[in-house]
Each structure stands twice: as structure tokens, then as C-alpha cells.
């Protein structure tokens, strides 16, 4: 019964992840009115699923045993009760943020859930130093890098076009924009699917490929059914976008996420995506600073919210 509950909770986390994250790669497509919301979310779903399928082919290299990211001893982190508390807390935290329209990081929700359950399990022996690389650095580095880079890339492209009197091929820009959005969504599916699946490695009844495909389907359903509020926030509330701004923001997101993966930089795809959109908006004084601060506050509150829910859940499971 415990293992079945863990599997259902992990699917719930996958659904919540899809609801909050699936639209992030295509937010600039909808924001710059290149396509409708329906087209954008379908493109995000298709490319995210493609990334998840690719992850199943590379399962042996992408999936690692769940270790609590060094926050708690493996003996505790690998117990089904601990996994269940983490999955429930992270899923609820992400879904609450989704219903409120805030784009947050699933990884940070998982980190907070690990801390909360860890505090209940072993008290202050939790390795708080590990929070530096898993939570604090991504929270600081991602927007600090993405915001100015987004502004620079957009300003540079405008300068080059005006300096050399280049004629803008709108169809080519839109095609590149679609491709860049697909790459971001593909990379997200490739990375997030095995991370979520690692929660159910303790269940021996499922094959790795079957389990990951099931989670990928849950992620796809979450995006299709519950991504509207996050879509509006990222596409319209942070700033208004023209076609060149949208492409510039997506290029920054794709390049930074890929570079971070290659060089081991602790950046968050969510924070980079929001930061790059905000950065291009600043160049035309169109960015909504109030909305950005609200999103930043939601990022800060992600960890304690997930920690409280996880701690309570783990205590209830122990009893």
C-alpha cells in the first residue's frame, strides 16, 4: 500500500511539474503573439514528451539513486516513507503556486521537501551547507545572469539591424523562435523526467522506461489542463513582448540552461526564463517590476512552504 501511494504521489508531482513548467519554454511565443495559447501549449507538450522519451533511451546515465541531494543520510533518504512525504509536499507546493499563477522551481520544491522531512527525521543534523548549491546559488545566480543578458542580447540585435540597415525576415525570426522554444522544452523533459522518476526507484515492480513514460504522460496532462495562469503571468504580466524580444529571451534561456549543464553551474531553468523575459522588457521600460517582485517572493517562499508540508506529512506517516 505504501509503495502504491508513493507511485501515485510521484505521478501527482509529475502532473504539478507539467502544470507549472511546461509552458515556460513557449511563453515568449504566446507573449509575442506569434501563435495562440493552444498552439503554444501543444508545441510545448510535444517537445517535452520528446525530451522525456529521449531520457528513457539514456536512462542509465541520467538516473541516479535518490540521495536527498546530500541533505540527509542515504539510509533515511531512501526509505519509502521519506520519498512519499517529499513527493506529496513538492507536488502540493508546485500546484499551489500554479493555481496562484506563480512560476516556481520544482527542484527547489523538492529541496524544501527534503529539508522538512529531514528535520523531522534527524533534527538539526541536516546538512544545511548543501542548501548553498541547491537553493541559494540558483536563486541568486539565475536572475542576476539572465536579466542583463536578456537586455544585452535584445539591444545588440536592435543595434545590428539599425546599424547595417538589415531587412528583418519575420518568417525566419518566427521559425527560429519556434525552434528555440522547442529546444528549451525538450531539454526540460530530458532533465526533469528522470529527476522525478528517481523518487520511485525503490519500487521494483516498474521498468525504468515504463515508469518514466508514465511520469511524462502525467507531466503532459498537467501542462494541457492547468498551465493557463502561469502562461498569463509569463507571457503578459511580466512584460509585453514583440517578436524580436521574445526570440532574444528564448535564446538567452536556451544558451544559459545548456551552458549551465555543461559547466555544472547551479542555475534554475524557471528563474532563467523569467529573468530573461524581464530583462528584455527593461530595455523598453515595459517590464512590470511589481509582478517580478511578487514572483521573486514566491521563489523565496518555495523552500519553507515545501519544508513545512513535508515535515508534517513525514510525521503523520511515521505515526
Amino acid at each position: 500500500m505504501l509503495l502504491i501511494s508513493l507511485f501515485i504521489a510521484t505521478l501527482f508531482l509529475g502532473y504539478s511539474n507539467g502544470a507549472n513548467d511546461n509552458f515556460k519554454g513557449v511563453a515568449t511565443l504566446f507573449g509575442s503573439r506569434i501563435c495562440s495559447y493552444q498552439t503554444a501549449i501543444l508545441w510545448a507538450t510535444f517537445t517535452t514528451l520528446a525530451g522525456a522519451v529521449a531520457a528513457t533511451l539514456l536512462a542509465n546515465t541520467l538516473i541516479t539513486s535518490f540521495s536527498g541531494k546530500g541533505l540527509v543520510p542515504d539510509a533515511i533518504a531512501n526509505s519509502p516513507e521519506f520519498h512519499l512525504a517529499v513527493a506529496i509536499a513538492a507536488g502540493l507546493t508546485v500546484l499551489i503556486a500554479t493555481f496562484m499563477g506563480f512560476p516556481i522551481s520544482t527542484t527547489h520544491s523538492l529541496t524544501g521537501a527534503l529539508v522538512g522531512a529531514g528535520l523531522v527525521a534527524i533534527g538539526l543534523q541536516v546538512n544545511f551547507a548543501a542548501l548553498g548549491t541547491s537553493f541559494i546559488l540558483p536563486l541568486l545566480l539565475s536572475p542576476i545572469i539572465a536579466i542583463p543578458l536578456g537586455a544585452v542580447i535584445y539591444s545588440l540585435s536592435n543595434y545590428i539591424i539599425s546599424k547595417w540597415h538589415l531587412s528583418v525576415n519575420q518568417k525566419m525570426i518566427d521559425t527560429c523562435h519556434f525552434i528555440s522554444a522547442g529546444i528549451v522544452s525538450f531539454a526540460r523533459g530530458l532533465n526533469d523526467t528522470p529527476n522525478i522518476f528517481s523518487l520511485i526507484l525503490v519500487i521494483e515492480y516498474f521498468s525504468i522506461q515504463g515508469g518514466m513514460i508514465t511520469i511524462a504522460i502525467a507531466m503532459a496532462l498537467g501542462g494541457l489542463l492547468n498551465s493557463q495562469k502561469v502562461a498569463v503571468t509569463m507571457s503578459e504580466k511580466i512584460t509585453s513582448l514583440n517578436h524580436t524580444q521574445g526570440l532574444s529571451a528564448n535564446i538567452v534561456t536556451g544558451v544559459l540552461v545548456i551552458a549551465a549543464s555543461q559547466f555544472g553551474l547551479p542555475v534554475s531553468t524557471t528563474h532563467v526564463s523569467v529573468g530573461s523575459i524581464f530583462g528584455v522588457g527593461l530595455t523598453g521600460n515595459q517590464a512590470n517590476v511589481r509582478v517580478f517582485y511578487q514572483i521573486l517572493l514566491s521563489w523565496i517562499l518555495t523552500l519553507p512552504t515545501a519544508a513545512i508540508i513535508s515535515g508534517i506529512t513525514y510525521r503523520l506517516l511515521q505515526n
Side-chain angles (χ1 to χ4, degrees):
M1 189 63 187
L2 187 62
L3 294 180
I4 293 173
S5 299
L6 173 58
F7 181 65
I8 294 172
T10 305
L11 291 182
F12 168 64
L13 174 58
Y15 181 94
S16 301
N17 172 273
N20 197 276
D21 283 17
N22 276 12
F23 203 83
K24 290 168 186 173
V26 299
T28 54
L29 290 176
F30 180 48
S32 55
R33 294 300 181 262
I34 289 177
C35 66
S36 65
Y37 169 81
Q38 288 78 11
T39 301
I41 192 61
L42 286 174
W43 179 235
T45 302
F46 173 77
T47 49
T48 300
L49 275 173
V53 171
T56 65
L57 302 176
L58 302 170
N60 291 335
T61 56
L62 291 178
I63 295 177
T64 56
S65 6
F66 189 79
S67 62
K69 296 184 183 295
L71 291 168
V72 295
D74 288 356
I76 295 173
N78 287 327
S79 68
E81 294 87 354
F82 191 89
H83 283 226
L84 181 55
V86 168
I88 290 173
L92 279 175
T93 302
V94 174
L95 199 60
I96 290 168
T98 302
F99 287 145
M100 296 177 69
F102 291 125
I104 66 170
S105 168
T106 300
T107 301
H108 285 186
S109 298
L110 283 166
T111 302
L114 289 165
V115 171
L119 284 171
V120 172
I122 58 174
L124 295 178
Q125 296 178 47
V126 171
N127 181 14
F128 290 103
L131 289 178
T133 54
S134 62
F135 180 76
I136 297 173
L137 275 180
L139 186 65
L140 295 175
L141 279 180
S142 302
I144 287 174
I145 297 173
I147 291 172
L149 196 55
V152 166
I153 293 296
Y154 175 60
S155 300
L156 185 61
S157 64
N158 272 351
Y159 174 78
I160 292 173
I161 290 171
S162 60
K163 179 74 173 177
W164 280 279
H165 306 289
L166 300 176
S167 59
V168 178
N169 187 325
Q170 196 60 56
K171 187 174 182 180
M172 182 177 291
I173 288 179
D174 292 349
T175 300
C176 291
H177 199 166
F178 259 95
I179 293 172
S180 68
I183 290 172
V184 172
S185 297
F186 180 90
R188 204 191 70 73
L190 184 68
N191 291 323
D192 283 8
T193 308
N195 287 342
I196 295 174
F197 176 78
S198 67
L199 286 167
I200 54 173
L201 276 175
V202 293
I203 304 176
E204 299 177 354
Y205 304 107
F206 302 105
S207 68
I208 291 177
Q209 285 74 17
M212 287 175 68
I213 289 296
T214 307
I215 289 169
I217 292 171
M219 290 166 60
L221 287 173
L224 290 171
L225 299 177
N226 279 117
S227 64
Q228 292 90 342
K229 288 191 175 181
V230 171
V232 170
T233 298
M234 294 199 64
S235 301
E236 299 175 352
K237 290 187 177 180
I238 297 174
T239 184
S240 58
L241 293 168
N242 60 38
H243 291 210
T244 311
Q245 285 176 318
L247 176 58
S248 299
N250 248 33
I251 289 173
V252 170
T253 301
V255 169
L256 273 182
V257 169
I258 293 171
S261 299
Q262 291 296 316
F263 295 103
L265 296 174
V267 301
S268 163
T269 303
T270 299
H271 300 175
V272 167
S273 179
V274 171
S276 62
I277 292 172
F278 183 69
V280 298
L282 285 175
T283 58
N285 294 320
Q286 298 170 312
N288 191 329
V289 177
R290 180 171 172 270
V291 170
F292 181 75
Y293 283 154
Q294 289 174 345
I295 294 173
L296 185 61
L297 179 62
S298 73
W299 293 349
I300 295 170
L301 292 176
T302 296
L303 190 142
T305 301
I308 291 170
I309 297 173
S310 179
I312 294 172
T313 304
Y314 187 60
R315 176 61 72 195
L316 291 173
L317 288 171
Q318 281 184 319
N319 294 333

